[in-house]
Structures are given as structure tokens and as C-alpha cells.
Amino acid sequence: QAVSNTLWAAARLAARPASRQLTEDDDECEWRYRVQRFPRGAGDAADSGLWEAMEFQVVRLARELGSQGVANIIWAFAAVERTLLPETWEALEKELIAQPGALNPQDVSNILWSVATLEMQISEDLRSILEDQATALFPSFNAQNIGNTLWAFACLGISPEGELWKVAERVILKRIEGFYPQAIANTLCSAAKLNHRFLDPRVFAVLEGRARITLQEFSPQNVSNMMWSYATVGVSPTPAFLALIEERISAVACDLKPQEVSNLCWAFARLRRSHVGDVVLDALALRAISVAPAAKAQEVATILWSFARLTGALERSLLLPLADRLVTPAVARAMNGQDIANVFWAHAKCGAAMMPELRETLEDGVVRLCGKFKMQEVANTLWAYMMMGEIPPEEMLTALEREIEERQQEMKPLDVMTIWKSYAAFGREPPVLWAAAESESAPQDANGTDVGFIVM
């Protein structure tokens, strides 16, 4: 009990905002971004020898912890984003498997949330136990349990069976008054990740209604996840609700993390431009500039793609810090085919001049990674050069042609058309694409249509 309580308390302390006060020498936005919670591995409660000492005690006392103690310890490590040692997790997992019926709703929810947060590998036995217990206990779940459990299912790739999902819908409708912002956002996010478009329209309606009431309490992450969920399932908030969301985003813009900026930009890009206000776009652009030095490759590429799609222009004040971030060696190495294609596409769409260092970085990435490009990404890259009125370097074009010739069966009709059109603009004989053009089994989406970023 002492071990469990100590770790639980340390985790709660580590998750609290830092106590240092803002001084006149601090930039307020950056201060809020950096100290709103302890980073991983930092902070008195997060990285002291306490955790190592307690982890040793956890292994020694595992058989005496009880199911709630085990759940609390796993939650504590997840709350400070500290990965458990293999021997620690093995001891805790063994105890959970030994007493499956002893778990209560909070235990099940905490364990699932923690495993998903730490991206831990769990045995099939424990996965089965957690699924069975979640199914049996779901009618007793509160709003927090529901949101965390569905979010964990989505992260772990566990798709609830049809009956469990219907039970979840009924419980959500019954307990909607207890839903707070994080539970609302987690539930919507889970539905989007699991490709569940709520069969009962009332569920989406009551969640949106509850979100309206509690919107002023939404954190940056909550509002980002909610908008990402709407865009992912292809549902647009009502104009009145969207206006309120935009106001909330503008209010918390200084606290948005890079991923949250990226997700919001992407979500708005999936909506019609006429539905998005200039005020919120300006707020997102300013925050993107501010967090650019901490952004990942995918986040930068998504922001560029989103603004190109939303506004048809990339302001120099936004483009330069994002481009500088992409040419950083570590970020450049982390780019994948979609990132590279999206950056090319954004510049071509807006007619924006590309920084020479960025062009060299992207072209090197194409040669290095073209074997991992999807064919849509190959087509988009060639389309970008066509729109920029340029011909790709010979080494890059040869590498892409090799992929085109070897992977024709992966192409969609739109890819074939784009490649042919690009080569015509280059004044160059295109690769032989008859197999792809004549294929009757070109991959399509669930609606039987070709989907892509290209807008001809």
C-alpha cells in the first residue's frame, strides 16, 4: 500500500503545472508552452531516484499489491510517461492475469489507458482479460472510464464488438451529464480511430450538446482532438458550434503544442474554406511559427499542406521557420514519403519559391526513400514539379521511374493520369503504364472512388 500510494502521489505532483512564476523577461506564450507540465524525464517528482527505488520495491512486493495497487502503479508510471522496466511489467502483468475478477471499473480503465499511453506490448492473455472485464463492467463505467477505455481501445487497435459498442452508446446517453471535456474529446477521438460512425445519431448529438456547455473548459488538447475527430469521420460541426470552437482555439492558441497545431490545421483543411474564419487561421499561423523549432517532420509537412489547401498561399513569415525546421538533419531524416510529397505539393499549389536547402533536402529524401513511397506520393511529387514549371533532377527522376515501372499494379487511375500529364509537361517519354491503365482492380476507397490530395 505504501509503495502504491507513494507512486500515485508522486505522479500527481509531477503532472501539476510548474511552480516557477512568469517574469518580465519571459515570452508568455513560450513560457506557457514549456512549463505547463514537466517534460518527460524532468521535474523533481518525475526523475528522482524515488522512481528507481520504488520500481525495485514493486518487483519485490508484486504478489502483495492487489489489483487496485497494481492498477495505480501502472497509472502512475504512465502519468509521468516513464516506461516500466521489462521485469517490473512482467511481475505486474503476472499478478493481473492471476486475479482477473478482482478488477473494478476504475482499475480496468486505468490499466487500459496506461498501456495505451506507454505503448506497451501486452500478452494475449491480459488483452483478453481486459477486453472481457471492460465488456462486463461497462454499464458501471462513469464518464471518465468510458472516455479513457474507448481511447485506449482505439490506440491498441481493439475494435469493440457490435454489442459492446451499442452498450457504450446506451451508457453514454445515460451518463452524458457527467461528461467533462477530456471524456468528450476521448470518446469522439475513439469513435474516429475505430471507424465507428455512431449508429445512433443521438450519441453524436448529445456529445456535441455537452461540448457546447463545457467548451470554455476545453484544454488545447481537448479541442484539437475534438476537431480531428470531426474531420476524420467526415462530419462538420454546425456553423454556430464551429464559431464557438474557433473562439476557443483563438483563446488557447498560445498553449497549443506542435501536434495540436498540426491536427487543427489538418482538420480545418478537411472542412470547406468558407467554414473557417480568418481570425482562427491567423492564430494558428502565429502559433505554428512559435512552435516550429520543436515540431516533428510530419507536423511541419501537415501544417504546410493545410495552409496551402486552406488559403492557396504560404506567407513568408510562416514558410521560412517551417522550412528551417525541415532542413535540420534529425528532422530531415525523419521525413517519410507523404511528408516529402506534401511539402512539394504545398509549394507547387501556392507558387511559393522553395528555399534551396529545402529543395536539396527533399530531393535527397526522394532518392533515398522512393522505394517506400506510395504511388500517390510518386504522382504528387511529379505533379509538383510540373506545376513549378521544372524538371526533376535526373537521379531523382530515374529513381522514381524505376518505382513506376515495377509497381504499376499499385496505381490508381488518378496516379496514371497525373504521371502521364507530368511527363508531357517535362517533354519526356513516360514509363510504360499500360498495365496500370488497363487494370480493372485499381485500389479505391470504401466508396469506390479515387481519393487524393491532387486537385487538377
Side-chain angles (χ1 to χ4, degrees), residues 363-437:
E363 290 173 349
D364 288 346
V366 172
V367 174
R368 178 168 50 89
L369 298 172
C370 63
K372 298 180 180 179
F373 272 43
K374 296 178 181 178
M375 295 315 297
Q376 181 188 14
E377 294 158 2
V378 171
N380 285 3
T381 301
L382 292 171
W383 176 87
Y385 271 89
M386 176 187 70
M387 294 302 293
M388 293 187 293
E390 301 177 17
I391 299 176
E394 189 63 31
E395 182 183 11
M396 173 178 157
L397 196 55
T398 300
L400 291 175
E401 285 178 354
R402 183 172 59 250
E403 296 305 315
I404 291 170
E405 292 173 350
E406 293 178 358
R407 297 162 58 194
Q408 293 187 41
Q409 297 299 334
E410 299 177 27
M411 291 187 187
K412 299 178 183 180
L414 182 58
D415 300 333
V416 178
M417 180 191 74
T418 302
I419 292 170
W420 275 346
K421 189 173 181 179
S422 300
Y423 271 83
F426 300 155
R428 181 169 176 139
E429 187 73 20
V432 177
L433 294 178
W434 295 117

Side-chain angles (χ1 to χ4, degrees), residues 101-233:
L103 297 172
N104 61 37
Q106 189 68 46
D107 296 338
V108 173
S109 174
N110 280 354
I111 293 168
L112 283 166
W113 177 85
S114 303
V115 167
T117 297
L118 295 176
E119 300 179 354
M120 298 168 63
Q121 297 295 321
I122 63 174
S123 67
E124 286 301 319
D125 287 342
L126 181 57
R127 177 185 290 258
S128 178
I129 288 170
L130 292 174
E131 285 187 59
D132 291 345
Q133 289 299 304
T135 302
L137 297 172
F138 214 98
S140 302
F141 277 17
N142 60 27
Q144 182 183 27
N145 300 151
I146 294 169
N148 286 350
T149 298
L150 292 179
W151 177 83
F153 276 168
C155 292
L156 296 171
I158 301 174
S159 184
E161 298 298 328
E163 186 57 34
L164 174 56
W165 196 259
K166 290 183 181 299
V167 171
E169 290 179 344
R170 290 195 295 269
V171 175
I172 291 169
L173 291 171
K174 181 179 179 181
R175 305 196 191 285
I176 191 62
E177 294 301 322
F179 271 68
Y180 58 99
Q182 186 175 353
I184 296 168
N186 281 356
T187 303
L188 289 171
C189 194
S190 305
K193 286 185 176 183
L194 293 169
N195 294 320
H196 275 276
R197 304 188 181 206
F198 290 112
L199 301 179
D200 188 341
R202 292 180 300 165
V203 176
F204 215 98
V206 297
L207 285 170
E208 181 172 307
R210 183 64 181 167
R212 278 173 173 264
I213 295 172
T214 60
L215 190 59
Q216 295 308 309
E217 301 171 27
F218 270 57
S219 69
Q221 183 180 28
N222 297 152
V223 74
S224 171
N225 286 348
M226 181 172 66
M227 283 303 301
W228 179 88
S229 303
Y230 272 107
T232 299
V233 300

Side-chain angles (χ1 to χ4, degrees), residues 117 308 313 438 455:
T117 297
E438 296 175 354
V455 180

